[in-house]
Amino acid sequence: SPIEEMVEAGRAVGHDYFALTDHSPRLTVANGLTAERLAEQLDVVEEINARYDDIVLLPGIEVDILEDGKLDQTRAMLQRLDVVVASVHSKLRSDSETMTQRMVGGIANKMTNVLGHCTGRLVEGGRGIRPESQFDAEVVFAACAQFDVAVEINSRPERRDPPSRLIQLALEAGCLFSIDTDAHAPGQLAFQDYGCARAVENGVPADRIVNAWPRDRLLEWTHAKR
């Protein structure tokens, strides 16, 4: 949906801020943004923010973690963003050791703020069912805690990612969390209620949910290690 339409929807549900996180170039099926198109989007975000005084749109990205653990966008562009979500979108059936190394590579990158939909599973919906990727969750969540990367609780009903047992494991590892709508259309911002319910069910304290923080605290955190 058009960016401004999403901003209006965000205002309607009462957000003070929210992040725009389109995909990176490698994910062509989602029309991922090249560095040039992302730069153009940053100009659009700046223009939109100049017109609103009751909501702030944070420039961000959902960047692919490539097979070698690197991120699918230039460091210079990532430096210009407020929120970097890093996710695996390809070769989801890799063996556990390969996937673990790949994920830890992305987590260890200083640009990464959030680990997106860590298992990649789909449990319902039009795209069918997809099993969880195999990885050493203890190692991955220990890396998230070490490198101050939040674990995404993806609010899309067809994902339910992470499953509850992994939310519990991430809690025990001392991880932060981010409850993300993964919205591609205005009405999907309502998915956040579902993600919040899953956080409550699993006993995630509000203070460990980064996008429950005031904007200044969130931005101080996202930029602290860059």
Side-chain angles (χ1 to χ4, degrees), residues 41-63:
Q41 187 181 83
L42 291 178
D43 291 337
V44 173
V45 170
E46 187 174 351
E47 292 169 8
I48 288 174
N49 281 333
R51 296 204 301 272
Y52 292 91
D53 59 8
D54 57 349
I55 190 169
V56 176
L57 183 60
L58 306 179
I61 192 171
E62 183 178 359
V63 63

Side-chain angles (χ1 to χ4, degrees), residues 17 150 153 171 175-179 195-196 198-214 217-218:
Y17 65 82
I153 296 177
L171 266 175
C175 295
L176 296 170
F177 294 85
S178 179
I179 301 175
C196 290
R198 294 203 65 227
V200 170
E201 289 166 7
N202 284 281
V204 179
D207 197 55
R208 281 170 65 176
I209 300 169
V210 298
N211 55 332
W213 296 347
R217 181 183 176 190
L218 173 70

Side-chain angles (χ1 to χ4, degrees), residues 21-24 60-66 69-73 78 83-89 102-119 140 144 149-152 154 178 180 225-226:
T21 55
D22 277 336
H23 287 283
S24 60
I61 192 171
E62 183 178 359
V63 63
D64 263 28
I65 302 174
L66 302 175
K70 294 180 181 177
L71 301 184
D72 180 35
Q73 188 50 271
L78 294 176
V83 180
V84 175
V85 180
S87 310
V88 173
H89 289 104
R102 179 180 182 179
M103 293 172 75
V104 170
I107 292 163
N109 191 300
K110 289 183 177 181
M111 296 293 106
T112 300
N113 302 125
V114 179
L115 174 65
H117 49 67
C118 62
T119 76
V140 165
C144 286
V149 169
V151 175
E152 178 188 68
N154 189 291
S178 179
D180 300 340
K225 61 183 181 178
R226 297 185 185 175

